[in-house]
Amino acid sequence: MSVVTIDTVTDVVIAALGKNGPITDRNREILTALIRHIHDFTREVKLQHSEFLYACDFLARAGQLCDDKRQEFILLSDIIGLEVLVDMVSHQGEEGASESTVLGPFYRENPPVLPTGATISQMHFENEETIFFEGYVRDTDGNPVEGVLVDVWEDAPNGLYENRDPNQPDYNLRGRLITDANGYYAFRAVLPVAYPIPDDHTAGELIRAMGHHPMRPSHMHFMLQKDGYHRLISQVFDSRDKYLENDSVFAVKESLIGTYRKADPELGVDLQIAFDFVLSRA
């Protein structure tokens, strides 16, 4: 029997990996690193048993909050910058492609497919600003990419996504476009606003423990997909927003900041913006 002490317990646990059943090389790599880091963390901060029990209860409560409208663990990972780090690690080596950023906890699958230039807004809001959003999708050689499925979603002028607001119609401010032969996409919407991520329950506990704030800068979400290309999940931020340098989930990248301007009269909206994307081949 192995003698377990504060100095040997880590090696004893790691040595048990694969002893009584098959384990893949990748699982061994991940679990070995996880065990080493979490054991070293425990020793470094001298984690107390009461703190350990609080952490277990915290995670249990976070799990109970998860449903099809709120993914608490993604939200928690956003607050500590983990999702944006995973995203950056996952997309290393895609040279020349548009930068990606976090998916966020409010994405919904299968919004309606709309014609080019259609609106994703199904209702009006007080003090809304309407926008025309357009751009081109190209490959890393500069060629247009036809047939890209461009999935877009945003919060409403009240700061809420439709799956968190019972007063909004189903799939409001969500839609999918398909690029034409020139790689062109376009849609109408309302100007997204800065909003607080949910700061109740476990997410709020973590934000307050960090001494941080819950605000996100104004942004439009994008997911671009086509067979033969790497999927791109990204956001386009409003250059005028005061939270650009203090995003609660650390997702802002300089290349993803866009500029709104007063719209041409024939567009029939308040503001317009042009933003292009570059996809890399898979």
Side-chain angles (χ1 to χ4, degrees):
M1 178 178 178
S2 300
V3 176
V4 177
T5 69
I6 194 171
D7 297 315
T8 65
V9 62
T10 305
D11 290 334
V12 170
V13 175
I14 291 172
L17 295 174
K19 267 191 173 181
N20 296 293
I23 183 172
T24 67
D25 290 343
R26 181 59 173 164
N27 279 353
R28 183 182 294 278
E29 178 185 13
I30 291 173
L31 289 170
T32 298
L34 173 65
I35 292 164
R36 285 202 185 282
H37 283 294
I38 204 164
H39 282 215
D40 287 344
F41 160 80
T42 300
R43 283 185 282 259
E44 179 183 345
V45 303
K46 295 181 173 62
L47 192 70
Q48 300 300 295
H49 198 254
S50 60
E51 295 165 332
F52 168 74
L53 292 178
Y54 172 82
C56 291
D57 176 69
F58 179 87
L59 293 174
R61 288 185 285 116
Q64 291 166 357
L65 291 167
C66 295
D67 57 25
D68 61 344
K69 295 185 177 180
R70 177 164 175 163
Q71 221 302 346
E72 192 73 0
F73 287 104
I74 291 180
L75 188 57
L76 294 173
S77 72
D78 285 341
I79 292 168
I80 61 172
L82 178 59
E83 187 182 5
V84 72
L85 176 58
V86 170
D87 177 74
M88 289 187 286
V89 169
S90 300
H91 292 91
Q92 292 182 95
E94 296 178 17
E95 292 187 15
S98 294
E99 287 193 281
S100 58
T101 193
V102 299
L103 175 68
F106 304 123
Y107 173 67
R108 289 188 67 189
E109 294 183 346
N110 301 318
V113 177
L114 303 170
T116 299
T119 181
I120 62 172
S121 180
Q122 302 178 42
M123 63 182 291
H124 291 290
F125 292 85
E126 186 177 352
N127 301 321
E128 71 179 13
E129 290 184 275
T130 53
I131 63 171
F132 183 76
F133 209 120
E134 65 178 342
Y136 292 88
V137 181
R138 300 183 175 90
D139 63 20
T140 52
D141 294 320
N143 302 308
V145 184
E146 183 179 5
V148 178
L149 190 65
V150 182
D151 197 333
V152 298
W153 68 103
E154 62 164 323
D155 68 321
N158 63 4
L160 295 174
Y161 291 83
E162 58 80 28
N163 56 351
R164 290 187 53 78
D165 184 356
N167 296 317
Q168 291 185 49
D170 201 34
Y171 285 106
N172 187 46
L173 298 175
R174 300 176 188 269
R176 288 178 291 176
L177 300 309
I178 299 175
T179 57
D180 67 13
N182 297 313
Y184 180 73
Y185 74 91
F187 62 97
R188 287 170 167 78
V190 296
L191 183 70
V193 299
Y195 65 88
I197 61 174
D199 60 352
D200 54 355
H201 302 298
T202 52
E205 287 181 45
L206 182 56
I207 290 170
R208 289 186 289 276
M210 292 173 64
H212 201 202
H213 69 80
M215 295 302 296
R216 293 223 61 208
S218 164
H219 58 277
M220 183 72 70
H221 287 272
F222 284 84
M223 181 188 294
L224 290 81
Q225 301 181 83
K226 183 181 179 178
D227 288 345
Y229 294 84
H230 288 289
R231 182 179 68 170
L232 175 66
I233 295 171
S234 199
Q235 299 174 22
V236 176
F237 298 90
D238 186 342
S239 62
R240 305 165 298 174
D241 198 283
K242 67 179 182 179
Y243 293 107
L244 283 179
E245 297 188 8
N246 195 18
D247 180 10
S248 62
V249 305
F250 314 101
V252 178
K253 298 177 181 179
E254 188 173 358
S255 68
L256 302 180
I257 298 173
T259 302
Y260 290 90
R261 63 179 178 86
K262 186 176 179 180
D264 297 332
E266 63 269 19
L267 290 175
V269 296
D270 300 312
L271 301 168
Q272 68 183 98
I273 182 173
F275 199 91
D276 298 339
F277 291 99
V278 177
L279 300 183
S280 61
R281 290 191 176 275

